[in-house]
Amino acid sequence: VRPRVIFSGIQPTGVPHLGNYIGALRQWVQLQHHEPQETKLIYSIVDLHAITMPQPPDQLRRCKREALAALLAIGIDPDRATVFHQSSVPAHSELMWILSCTASVGYLSRMTQWKSKLNVSEGSTFADRTIASRLKLGLLSYPVLQAADILIHRATHVPVGHDQQQHIEFARECATNFNHAYGSHLVLPDVLIPPVRRVMSLTDPTSKMSKSHKLERSRILITDSPNEIKTKIGSALTDSMPGMSYDTVNRPGISNLLDILSIFDAGGRNPEQLAGEYRDLGPKQLKELVTDSVVAGLDGIRERYVELLTASDARLDQIEAEGTRKARESAEETMQLVRTAVGL
Ligand code: ADP
Ligand code: NA
């Protein structure tokens, strides 16, 4: 049996928030401890995906460095995992082009994100055409780049949330189409579904914590200071019902706080158990408990992050260079097979 290869990516779009950490990045760290040593772990900061929404170049450069620092600060070990910036391995783009030549436009245009940007009902072909003419090609074709990211490293497993499953399905489709045309050279990846843990916005607990939320105090950044964490949790929306109960429908704010408390609970208690234990507390006391547990849960991340980003610290550059080298080597193995198969 071939060893497993696990690939995952994150866009360099600012310091990760608690939702990103709990929903995705913390699993990246845990895989380092739970997977057998021969499993390859490949984590990419996908800067080419970030430019589907154009942004100032200096901001992108800064975000790329911050993303790398954030991954190291949460405990990604560059000796155990391959960590690299996607654009440092041009073969990702090369494979994307080759896959584009056997991928179906029909399949791509049925994918959710493209359809939501088109925002038109079935059959309105005239509107389709006018709206589509303003949209950028990258917004349609980025799933092919995602497929290349995965296939180029011969990933067997990709940890993704439910919202991303159709992209893995599409990557399998790309591999199948390529293999059909040129022989079985690409590995079909499987989804690795992480336990679902959604963190909700602190100010609007019926929607998920997200970087797109306007209010900064709606989210906790993994690099927030204990004081910032205290202030944000202190101003979280709760309710005026007496006592504690876990009820996501009628008490979304309190329930989100109980969820967060359970995430970092050393005793592994679930939110219902915590609600029972603290049934007589008011929101203010609950917030104090949550603040303490989040501060403890994120302890050290901020310090390591700040240290890595100081100009005098050369570790980031060294780690980046080493990650690039390892990722290029891994990509090149596949590309040699692919180029030969295609006749390039
Ligand atoms: P955002 O909503 O802040 O833009 P992304 O869509 O970039 O976050 O998601 C990056 C990763 O973090 C994905 O794997 C996603 O499932 C996870 N994630 C994002 N927000 C949350 C959340 N509030 N709770 C749990 N996981 C989340
Ligand atoms: Na998003």
Side-chain angles (χ1 to χ4, degrees), residues 14 18 36 46 48 53 92 105 121 126 128-129 148 154 159 168 183 198 210 222 232 250 252 255 270 303 311 322 344:
L18 192 63
V46 291
L48 293 173
M53 297 292 172
H92 281 239
V105 175
S121 53
F126 177 72
D128 269 3
R129 252 178 274 136
R154 320 185 73 68
I168 308 308
R198 284 233 299 180
S210 170
I222 59 168
K232 287 177 181 176
N250 298 306
S255 301
N270 65 34
E303 289 72 17
E322 180 58 12
L344 294 167

Side-chain angles (χ1 to χ4, degrees), residues 129-324:
R129 252 178 274 136
T130 29
I131 295 171
S133 69
R134 283 197 302 271
L135 293 174
K136 307 304 179 206
L137 177 59
L139 206 59
L140 176 66
S141 63
Y142 81 93
V144 189
L145 181 57
Q146 263 186 350
D149 298 336
I150 296 165
L151 301 177
I152 204 163
H153 297 290
R154 320 185 73 68
T156 57
H157 295 85
V158 185
V160 287
H162 289 275
D163 49 332
Q164 284 287 312
Q165 277 179 47
Q166 62 165 312
H167 289 111
I168 308 308
E169 213 30 70
F170 181 71
R172 293 172 62 89
E173 173 81 6
C174 285
T176 303
N177 290 348
F178 179 92
N179 288 348
H180 183 72
Y182 295 113
S184 289
H185 299 291
L186 297 178
V187 178
L188 271 63
D190 283 313
V191 170
L192 195 74
I193 298 182
V196 193
R197 304 226 59 163
R198 284 233 299 180
V199 181
M200 308 306 277
S201 156
L202 294 177
T203 52
D204 172 16
T206 55
S207 64
K208 68 165 200 154
M209 187 177 283
S210 170
K211 65 175 165 289
S212 12
H213 204 291
K214 276 189 295 292
L215 277 181
E216 273 183 37
R217 65 186 167 86
S218 71
R219 57 187 167 271
I220 293 167
L221 303 183
I222 59 168
T223 56
D224 277 346
S225 68
N227 249 327
E228 286 167 317
I229 294 170
K230 182 165 189 259
T231 307
K232 287 177 181 176
I233 292 175
S235 71
L237 189 72
T238 52
D239 57 56
S240 52
M241 289 182 222
M244 285 302 129
S245 52
Y246 186 70
D247 176 349
T248 54
V249 175
N250 298 306
R251 309 192 70 184
I254 291 288
S255 301
N256 188 36
L257 292 177
L258 289 166
D259 270 322
I260 296 173
L261 193 59
S262 86
I263 283 163
F264 293 112
D265 186 50
R269 289 167 295 182
N270 65 34
E272 288 90 348
Q273 290 170 318
L274 289 166
E277 199 130 331
Y278 298 124
R279 74 178 74 80
D280 299 325
L281 295 193
K284 192 164 170 289
Q285 293 153 301
L286 177 66
K287 286 173 175 180
E288 282 163 12
L289 288 173
V290 176
T291 299
D292 290 346
S293 82
V294 172
V295 167
L298 299 180
D299 184 39
I301 293 179
R302 178 188 174 81
E303 289 72 17
R304 288 190 290 275
Y305 176 81
V306 170
E307 207 179 299
L308 282 161
L309 284 175
T310 55
S312 59
D313 197 326
R315 271 179 303 168
L316 269 193
D317 297 315
Q318 288 159 9
I319 289 166
E320 189 180 351
E322 180 58 12
T324 300

Side-chain angles (χ1 to χ4, degrees), residues 64-92:
K64 285 175 60 172
R65 227 175 145 69
E66 290 176 357
L68 181 58
L71 291 183
L72 300 170
I74 62 169
I76 300 296
D77 171 6
D79 291 327
R80 174 67 185 89
T82 299
V83 190
F84 70 104
H85 290 119
Q86 180 189 31
S87 67
S88 304
V89 185
H92 281 239

